[in-house]
Amino acid sequence: QVQLRESGGGLVQAGGSLRLSCAASRRTFSNYAIAWFRQAPGKEREFVASISWSAGNTFYLNSVKGRFTISRDNGKSTVDLQMNSLKPEDTAVYYCAASDYMTTKSTDFTSWGQGTQVTVSS
């Protein structure tokens, strides 16, 4: 397993931008596919975006396509989520997670960060 730590959350007005970062503890970070999930109060945890170990493949939740961009730097063991044109419905705790393969199912991910709060005001 790999230890993950998110940063970059905060409060932003609708239409604004935030950049989340996920830092990993291990050199073998490059072996993992990484995804971002989010969970709003009273709702199920939801897949947001994922990126393959080589960064050759990415996948997004339909509602964030064109607004969010996932990227990774294996040399720095980080995965970022650039979030633009934020909407109040994007408000949630955002988590990064690691898996041995590309998947959108939360149960397939073996390592999780502690989460970072994103709040978008209207």
mmCIF file of all heavy atoms in Angstrom, residues 22-55:
data_model
loop_
_atom_site.group_PDB
_atom_site.id
_atom_site.type_symbol
_atom_site.label_atom_id
_atom_site.label_comp_id
_atom_site.label_asym_id
_atom_site.label_seq_id
_atom_site.Cartn_x
_atom_site.Cartn_y
_atom_site.Cartn_z
ATOM 1 N N CYS A 22 -2.337 15.516 -4.501
ATOM 2 C CA CYS A 22 -2.239 14.269 -3.752
ATOM 3 C C CYS A 22 -0.785 13.841 -3.759
ATOM 4 O O CYS A 22 -0.222 13.596 -4.831
ATOM 5 C CB CYS A 22 -3.118 13.213 -4.407
ATOM 6 S SG CYS A 22 -2.996 11.561 -3.708
ATOM 7 N N ALA A 23 -0.176 13.777 -2.585
ATOM 8 C CA ALA A 23 1.224 13.395 -2.462
ATOM 9 C C ALA A 23 1.323 11.991 -1.896
ATOM 10 O O ALA A 23 0.610 11.642 -0.945
ATOM 11 C CB ALA A 23 1.957 14.378 -1.556
ATOM 12 N N ALA A 24 2.227 11.190 -2.462
ATOM 13 C CA ALA A 24 2.381 9.802 -2.043
ATOM 14 C C ALA A 24 3.695 9.600 -1.301
ATOM 15 O O ALA A 24 4.663 10.334 -1.514
ATOM 16 C CB ALA A 24 2.326 8.885 -3.248
ATOM 17 N N SER A 25 3.699 8.573 -0.469
ATOM 18 C CA SER A 25 4.838 8.340 0.411
ATOM 19 C C SER A 25 5.875 7.400 -0.175
ATOM 20 O O SER A 25 6.971 7.293 0.344
ATOM 21 C CB SER A 25 4.353 7.756 1.739
ATOM 22 O OG SER A 25 3.732 6.511 1.507
ATOM 23 N N ARG A 26 5.540 6.717 -1.233
ATOM 24 C CA ARG A 26 6.428 5.670 -1.708
ATOM 25 C C ARG A 26 6.937 5.912 -3.118
ATOM 26 O O ARG A 26 6.249 6.487 -3.946
ATOM 27 C CB ARG A 26 5.714 4.317 -1.677
ATOM 28 C CG ARG A 26 5.379 3.830 -0.296
ATOM 29 C CD ARG A 26 4.736 2.463 -0.343
ATOM 30 N NE ARG A 26 5.624 1.478 -0.945
ATOM 31 C CZ ARG A 26 5.335 0.194 -0.996
ATOM 32 N NH1 ARG A 26 4.199 -0.244 -0.520
ATOM 33 N NH2 ARG A 26 6.155 -0.649 -1.567
ATOM 34 N N ARG A 27 8.135 5.425 -3.372
ATOM 35 C CA ARG A 27 8.707 5.523 -4.713
ATOM 36 C C ARG A 27 7.901 4.725 -5.718
ATOM 37 O O ARG A 27 7.880 5.050 -6.892
ATOM 38 C CB ARG A 27 10.138 4.994 -4.705
ATOM 39 C CG ARG A 27 11.121 5.872 -3.989
ATOM 40 C CD ARG A 27 12.516 5.314 -4.153
ATOM 41 N NE ARG A 27 13.525 6.126 -3.519
ATOM 42 C CZ ARG A 27 14.824 5.851 -3.548
ATOM 43 N NH1 ARG A 27 15.243 4.781 -4.176
ATOM 44 N NH2 ARG A 27 15.682 6.627 -2.940
ATOM 45 N N THR A 28 7.232 3.656 -5.233
ATOM 46 C CA THR A 28 6.464 2.801 -6.148
ATOM 47 C C THR A 28 5.149 3.442 -6.542
ATOM 48 O O THR A 28 4.296 2.805 -7.140
ATOM 49 C CB THR A 28 6.206 1.434 -5.499
ATOM 50 O OG1 THR A 28 5.586 1.640 -4.230
ATOM 51 C CG2 THR A 28 7.489 0.669 -5.332
ATOM 52 N N PHE A 29 4.967 4.707 -6.190
ATOM 53 C CA PHE A 29 3.782 5.461 -6.575
ATOM 54 C C PHE A 29 3.486 5.312 -8.056
ATOM 55 O O PHE A 29 2.330 5.232 -8.463
ATOM 56 C CB PHE A 29 4.018 6.931 -6.221
ATOM 57 C CG PHE A 29 2.979 7.872 -6.729
ATOM 58 C CD1 PHE A 29 1.769 7.992 -6.096
ATOM 59 C CD2 PHE A 29 3.217 8.654 -7.855
ATOM 60 C CE1 PHE A 29 0.817 8.881 -6.549
ATOM 61 C CE2 PHE A 29 2.272 9.540 -8.312
ATOM 62 C CZ PHE A 29 1.078 9.661 -7.664
ATOM 63 N N SER A 30 4.520 5.257 -8.872
ATOM 64 C CA SER A 30 4.331 5.212 -10.320
ATOM 65 C C SER A 30 3.693 3.908 -10.778
ATOM 66 O O SER A 30 3.266 3.794 -11.925
ATOM 67 C CB SER A 30 5.665 5.428 -11.038
ATOM 68 O OG SER A 30 6.578 4.407 -10.704
ATOM 69 N N ASN A 31 3.606 2.899 -9.900
ATOM 70 C CA ASN A 31 2.980 1.633 -10.260
ATOM 71 C C ASN A 31 1.454 1.684 -10.177
ATOM 72 O O ASN A 31 0.784 0.756 -10.608
ATOM 73 C CB ASN A 31 3.465 0.521 -9.324
ATOM 74 C CG ASN A 31 4.940 0.225 -9.496
ATOM 75 O OD1 ASN A 31 5.550 0.611 -10.485
ATOM 76 N ND2 ASN A 31 5.517 -0.446 -8.518
ATOM 77 N N TYR A 32 0.919 2.746 -9.569
ATOM 78 C CA TYR A 32 -0.500 2.794 -9.252
ATOM 79 C C TYR A 32 -1.279 3.717 -10.181
ATOM 80 O O TYR A 32 -0.793 4.787 -10.572
ATOM 81 C CB TYR A 32 -0.703 3.296 -7.823
ATOM 82 C CG TYR A 32 -0.150 2.393 -6.759
ATOM 83 C CD1 TYR A 32 1.146 2.553 -6.302
ATOM 84 C CD2 TYR A 32 -0.933 1.387 -6.208
ATOM 85 C CE1 TYR A 32 1.661 1.730 -5.321
ATOM 86 C CE2 TYR A 32 -0.430 0.563 -5.224
ATOM 87 C CZ TYR A 32 0.868 0.733 -4.787
ATOM 88 O OH TYR A 32 1.378 -0.085 -3.811
ATOM 89 N N ALA A 33 -2.495 3.312 -10.479
ATOM 90 C CA ALA A 33 -3.479 4.244 -11.018
ATOM 91 C C ALA A 33 -4.019 5.053 -9.841
ATOM 92 O O ALA A 33 -4.184 4.519 -8.740
ATOM 93 C CB ALA A 33 -4.616 3.498 -11.702
ATOM 94 N N ILE A 34 -4.263 6.322 -10.069
ATOM 95 C CA ILE A 34 -4.727 7.216 -9.001
ATOM 96 C C ILE A 34 -6.051 7.841 -9.414
ATOM 97 O O ILE A 34 -6.232 8.210 -10.582
ATOM 98 C CB ILE A 34 -3.706 8.333 -8.719
ATOM 99 C CG1 ILE A 34 -2.350 7.743 -8.333
ATOM 100 C CG2 ILE A 34 -4.222 9.268 -7.627
ATOM 101 C CD1 ILE A 34 -2.340 6.986 -7.024
ATOM 102 N N ALA A 35 -6.944 7.943 -8.469
ATOM 103 C CA ALA A 35 -8.246 8.552 -8.739
ATOM 104 C C ALA A 35 -8.583 9.569 -7.658
ATOM 105 O O ALA A 35 -8.054 9.518 -6.552
ATOM 106 C CB ALA A 35 -9.329 7.488 -8.798
ATOM 107 N N TRP A 36 -9.464 10.466 -8.022
ATOM 108 C CA TRP A 36 -10.089 11.387 -7.071
ATOM 109 C C TRP A 36 -11.561 10.992 -6.930
ATOM 110 O O TRP A 36 -12.242 10.746 -7.940
ATOM 111 C CB TRP A 36 -9.986 12.829 -7.549
ATOM 112 C CG TRP A 36 -8.623 13.405 -7.435
ATOM 113 C CD1 TRP A 36 -7.642 13.422 -8.389
ATOM 114 C CD2 TRP A 36 -8.068 14.053 -6.282
ATOM 115 N NE1 TRP A 36 -6.517 14.044 -7.911
ATOM 116 C CE2 TRP A 36 -6.749 14.440 -6.615
ATOM 117 C CE3 TRP A 36 -8.541 14.359 -5.001
ATOM 118 C CZ2 TRP A 36 -5.910 15.112 -5.709
ATOM 119 C CZ3 TRP A 36 -7.709 15.022 -4.114
ATOM 120 C CH2 TRP A 36 -6.409 15.391 -4.467
ATOM 121 N N PHE A 37 -11.997 10.939 -5.689
ATOM 122 C CA PHE A 37 -13.400 10.736 -5.350
ATOM 123 C C PHE A 37 -13.851 11.939 -4.527
ATOM 124 O O PHE A 37 -13.031 12.699 -4.021
ATOM 125 C CB PHE A 37 -13.575 9.465 -4.516
ATOM 126 C CG PHE A 37 -13.413 8.191 -5.291
ATOM 127 C CD1 PHE A 37 -12.149 7.701 -5.596
ATOM 128 C CD2 PHE A 37 -14.514 7.467 -5.708
ATOM 129 C CE1 PHE A 37 -11.990 6.513 -6.310
ATOM 130 C CE2 PHE A 37 -14.378 6.293 -6.416
ATOM 131 C CZ PHE A 37 -13.105 5.813 -6.715
ATOM 132 N N ARG A 38 -15.159 12.069 -4.382
ATOM 133 C CA ARG A 38 -15.687 13.121 -3.507
ATOM 134 C C ARG A 38 -16.932 12.604 -2.803
ATOM 135 O O ARG A 38 -17.619 11.714 -3.299
ATOM 136 C CB ARG A 38 -15.992 14.387 -4.294
ATOM 137 C CG ARG A 38 -17.127 14.257 -5.316
ATOM 138 C CD ARG A 38 -17.231 15.533 -6.147
ATOM 139 N NE ARG A 38 -18.309 15.458 -7.126
ATOM 140 C CZ ARG A 38 -18.520 16.378 -8.061
ATOM 141 N NH1 ARG A 38 -17.728 17.449 -8.161
ATOM 142 N NH2 ARG A 38 -19.532 16.231 -8.908
ATOM 143 N N GLN A 39 -17.174 13.192 -1.646
ATOM 144 C CA GLN A 39 -18.358 12.825 -0.880
ATOM 145 C C GLN A 39 -18.966 14.069 -0.269
ATOM 146 O O GLN A 39 -18.326 14.752 0.539
ATOM 147 C CB GLN A 39 -18.024 11.808 0.206
ATOM 148 C CG GLN A 39 -19.241 11.241 0.907
ATOM 149 C CD GLN A 39 -18.922 10.016 1.715
ATOM 150 O OE1 GLN A 39 -17.773 9.752 2.065
ATOM 151 N NE2 GLN A 39 -19.936 9.219 2.012
ATOM 152 N N ALA A 40 -20.194 14.344 -0.670
ATOM 153 C CA ALA A 40 -20.944 15.464 -0.116
ATOM 154 C C ALA A 40 -21.757 14.968 1.070
ATOM 155 O O ALA A 40 -22.069 13.776 1.165
ATOM 156 C CB ALA A 40 -21.854 16.050 -1.186
ATOM 157 N N PRO A 41 -22.137 15.856 1.990
ATOM 158 C CA PRO A 41 -22.910 15.445 3.166
ATOM 159 C C PRO A 41 -24.189 14.715 2.764
ATOM 160 O O PRO A 41 -24.943 15.181 1.912
ATOM 161 C CB PRO A 41 -23.220 16.779 3.851
ATOM 162 C CG PRO A 41 -22.127 17.686 3.424
ATOM 163 C CD PRO A 41 -21.792 17.297 2.022
ATOM 164 N N GLY A 42 -24.393 13.552 3.360
ATOM 165 C CA GLY A 42 -25.608 12.791 3.106
ATOM 166 C C GLY A 42 -25.634 12.040 1.795
ATOM 167 O O GLY A 42 -26.666 11.460 1.437
ATOM 168 N N LYS A 43 -24.501 12.061 1.069
ATOM 169 C CA LYS A 43 -24.463 11.383 -0.234
ATOM 170 C C LYS A 43 -23.394 10.301 -0.260
ATOM 171 O O LYS A 43 -22.475 10.284 0.574
ATOM 172 C CB LYS A 43 -24.199 12.398 -1.352
ATOM 173 C CG LYS A 43 -25.320 13.407 -1.540
ATOM 174 C CD LYS A 43 -25.099 14.240 -2.785
ATOM 175 C CE LYS A 43 -26.259 15.171 -3.034
ATOM 176 N NZ LYS A 43 -26.078 15.968 -4.280
ATOM 177 N N GLU A 44 -23.500 9.410 -1.243
ATOM 178 C CA GLU A 44 -22.506 8.358 -1.428
ATOM 179 C C GLU A 44 -21.204 8.952 -1.966
ATOM 180 O O GLU A 44 -21.206 9.994 -2.622
ATOM 181 C CB GLU A 44 -23.029 7.320 -2.421
ATOM 182 C CG GLU A 44 -24.288 6.589 -1.997
ATOM 183 C CD GLU A 44 -23.965 5.516 -0.979
ATOM 184 O OE1 GLU A 44 -22.889 4.911 -1.107
ATOM 185 O OE2 GLU A 44 -24.766 5.302 -0.055
ATOM 186 N N ARG A 45 -20.109 8.266 -1.678
ATOM 187 C CA ARG A 45 -18.840 8.678 -2.267
ATOM 188 C C ARG A 45 -18.915 8.475 -3.776
ATOM 189 O O ARG A 45 -19.411 7.440 -4.251
ATOM 190 C CB ARG A 45 -17.690 7.865 -1.671
ATOM 191 C CG ARG A 45 -16.315 8.369 -2.080
ATOM 192 C CD ARG A 45 -15.233 7.727 -1.253
ATOM 193 N NE ARG A 45 -15.330 8.116 0.145
ATOM 194 C CZ ARG A 45 -14.406 7.846 1.061
ATOM 195 N NH1 ARG A 45 -13.325 7.164 0.708
ATOM 196 N NH2 ARG A 45 -14.570 8.214 2.311
ATOM 197 N N GLU A 46 -18.405 9.444 -4.534
ATOM 198 C CA GLU A 46 -18.582 9.486 -5.990
ATOM 199 C C GLU A 46 -17.226 9.587 -6.685
ATOM 200 O O GLU A 46 -16.373 10.402 -6.291
ATOM 201 C CB GLU A 46 -19.438 10.715 -6.311
ATOM 202 C CG GLU A 46 -19.645 11.036 -7.756
ATOM 203 C CD GLU A 46 -20.470 12.298 -7.940
ATOM 204 O OE1 GLU A 46 -20.087 13.345 -7.378
ATOM 205 O OE2 GLU A 46 -21.492 12.231 -8.653
ATOM 206 N N PHE A 47 -17.051 8.793 -7.728
ATOM 207 C CA PHE A 47 -15.843 8.882 -8.552
ATOM 208 C C PHE A 47 -15.830 10.208 -9.296
ATOM 209 O O PHE A 47 -16.870 10.645 -9.816
ATOM 210 C CB PHE A 47 -15.830 7.733 -9.548
ATOM 211 C CG PHE A 47 -14.789 7.870 -10.627
ATOM 212 C CD1 PHE A 47 -13.487 7.457 -10.407
ATOM 213 C CD2 PHE A 47 -15.113 8.439 -11.849
ATOM 214 C CE1 PHE A 47 -12.526 7.598 -11.390
ATOM 215 C CE2 PHE A 47 -14.160 8.581 -12.840
ATOM 216 C CZ PHE A 47 -12.858 8.157 -12.616
ATOM 217 N N VAL A 48 -14.655 10.845 -9.380
ATOM 218 C CA VAL A 48 -14.524 12.117 -10.084
ATOM 219 C C VAL A 48 -13.611 11.995 -11.303
ATOM 220 O O VAL A 48 -13.980 12.393 -12.404
ATOM 221 C CB VAL A 48 -13.983 13.207 -9.140
ATOM 222 C CG1 VAL A 48 -13.748 14.510 -9.900
ATOM 223 C CG2 VAL A 48 -14.929 13.433 -7.967
ATOM 224 N N ALA A 49 -12.417 11.458 -11.101
ATOM 225 C CA ALA A 49 -11.456 11.376 -12.198
ATOM 226 C C ALA A 49 -10.375 10.366 -11.845
ATOM 227 O O ALA A 49 -10.106 10.132 -10.668
ATOM 228 C CB ALA A 49 -10.813 12.736 -12.468
ATOM 229 N N SER A 50 -9.755 9.787 -12.869
ATOM 230 C CA SER A 50 -8.652 8.864 -12.630
ATOM 231 C C SER A 50 -7.596 9.012 -13.715
ATOM 232 O O SER A 50 -7.866 9.516 -14.809
ATOM 233 C CB SER A 50 -9.145 7.416 -12.578
ATOM 234 O OG SER A 50 -9.715 7.044 -13.816
ATOM 235 N N ILE A 51 -6.389 8.555 -13.378
ATOM 236 C CA ILE A 51 -5.271 8.633 -14.312
ATOM 237 C C ILE A 51 -4.444 7.368 -14.165
ATOM 238 O O ILE A 51 -4.202 6.889 -13.060
ATOM 239 C CB ILE A 51 -4.438 9.913 -14.058
ATOM 240 C CG1 ILE A 51 -3.389 10.125 -15.145
ATOM 241 C CG2 ILE A 51 -3.803 9.916 -12.666
ATOM 242 C CD1 ILE A 51 -2.798 11.524 -15.132
ATOM 243 N N SER A 52 -4.003 6.818 -15.293
ATOM 244 C CA SER A 52 -3.219 5.590 -15.276
ATOM 245 C C SER A 52 -1.803 5.866 -14.781
ATOM 246 O O SER A 52 -1.371 7.017 -14.695
ATOM 247 C CB SER A 52 -3.177 4.975 -16.673
ATOM 248 O OG SER A 52 -2.539 5.868 -17.584
ATOM 249 N N TRP A 53 -1.054 4.807 -14.514
ATOM 250 C CA TRP A 53 0.287 4.951 -13.961
ATOM 251 C C TRP A 53 1.194 5.745 -14.900
ATOM 252 O O TRP A 53 2.065 6.476 -14.457
ATOM 253 C CB TRP A 53 0.900 3.580 -13.661
ATOM 254 C CG TRP A 53 1.185 2.770 -14.898
ATOM 255 C CD1 TRP A 53 0.324 1.910 -15.520
ATOM 256 C CD2 TRP A 53 2.399 2.759 -15.645
ATOM 257 N NE1 TRP A 53 0.940 1.365 -16.621
ATOM 258 C CE2 TRP A 53 2.205 1.858 -16.726
ATOM 259 C CE3 TRP A 53 3.618 3.398 -15.527
ATOM 260 C CZ2 TRP A 53 3.201 1.607 -17.659
ATOM 261 C CZ3 TRP A 53 4.616 3.142 -16.450
ATOM 262 C CH2 TRP A 53 4.393 2.250 -17.508
ATOM 263 N N SER A 54 0.981 5.590 -16.211
ATOM 264 C CA SER A 54 1.828 6.277 -17.184
ATOM 265 C C SER A 54 1.281 7.644 -17.579
ATOM 266 O O SER A 54 1.922 8.363 -18.350
ATOM 267 C CB SER A 54 1.935 5.431 -18.447
ATOM 268 O OG SER A 54 0.678 5.351 -19.087
ATOM 269 N N ALA A 55 0.099 7.984 -17.061
ATOM 270 C CA ALA A 55 -0.622 9.216 -17.434
ATOM 271 C C ALA A 55 -1.142 9.155 -18.863
ATOM 272 O O ALA A 55 -1.605 10.162 -19.392
ATOM 273 C CB ALA A 55 0.248 10.455 -17.235
#
